[in-house]
Amino acid sequence: MDQQNVPRKTNWYKIRRLGVLLGIGVVLLLKFQNCAPAPGASASAGGSAESFPVSTIDETHLTTAVSFPQEKLKLKTDTEAAEIEGVCDIAQHGSILGWRLYDSSGEEIGRGYSACESGRFMVELAPTQEFVCDQPYTVSARLGLGDEGAVQVSRSCHSDSI
């Protein structure tokens, strides 16, 4: 018999095996599609080399607002440090928020970071003796792209301070 006129048989076994491998490849590709690490942001606090904690903010709460329970606070004249408590979303537990301190002219005179723990965060101002008596200062805090919370702080040098 002439070998040139013999019809070729389709090798279904090889085609099926190739299809299974292709299917597994597609499943693996889709499964690990978004596993790349998030691009890191290099943050610096005014060019200083000091390190600070960095945390990831849950994307579902990217616009979480922070607030302070009071609008105005008076500090005693004899305290060296003051801790101001603020409120954050409890779902943001462990997230790091930034805060800033401004004088009455709006110039930034301090900044720092605080952790949101169980729906609360603390801003520590020290030393408060450097605050000018009865001059208003503003502490503002922000978590992610959320709304900024602010409180006005002043140092009372009179004996009737709280």
Side-chain angles (χ1 to χ4, degrees), residues 9-152:
K9 290 185 178 182
T10 306
N11 193 343
W12 292 108
Y13 177 72
K14 286 183 180 180
I15 292 175
R16 186 175 61 178
R17 196 166 50 171
L18 183 61
V20 168
L21 288 175
L22 183 63
I24 290 172
V26 168
V27 168
L28 289 175
L29 179 67
L30 293 176
K31 182 176 180 180
F32 298 108
Q33 174 179 334
N34 294 322
C35 290
S42 70
S44 63
S48 69
E50 68 178 283
S51 64
F52 55 91
V54 176
S55 178
T56 302
I57 299 173
D58 184 0
E59 289 183 32
T60 59
H61 300 289
L62 191 59
T63 58
T64 299
V66 297
S67 62
F68 292 94
Q70 305 90 357
E71 291 181 18
K72 294 183 179 184
L73 288 173
K74 286 220 178 249
L75 305 176
K76 292 182 181 181
T77 187
D78 59 348
T79 59
E80 290 183 18
E83 288 186 342
I84 301 172
E85 185 175 289
V87 180
C88 55
D89 189 345
I90 196 162
Q92 292 294 347
H93 181 78
S95 295
I96 304 299
L97 56 92
W99 60 265
R100 295 174 188 236
L101 176 65
Y102 299 97
D103 63 11
S104 59
S105 67
E107 183 178 335
E108 181 182 315
I109 58 173
R111 69 169 56 185
Y113 299 93
S114 181
C116 178
E117 296 176 355
S118 301
R120 305 223 178 266
F121 67 93
M122 298 294 281
V123 173
E124 184 176 346
L125 301 176
T128 58
Q129 288 94 352
E130 294 181 5
F131 287 11
V132 177
C133 292
D134 297 320
Q135 179 178 336
Y137 294 86
T138 303
V139 177
S140 67
R142 178 175 289 190
L143 179 63
L145 300 174
D147 292 336
E148 184 176 74
V151 61
Q152 192 177 63

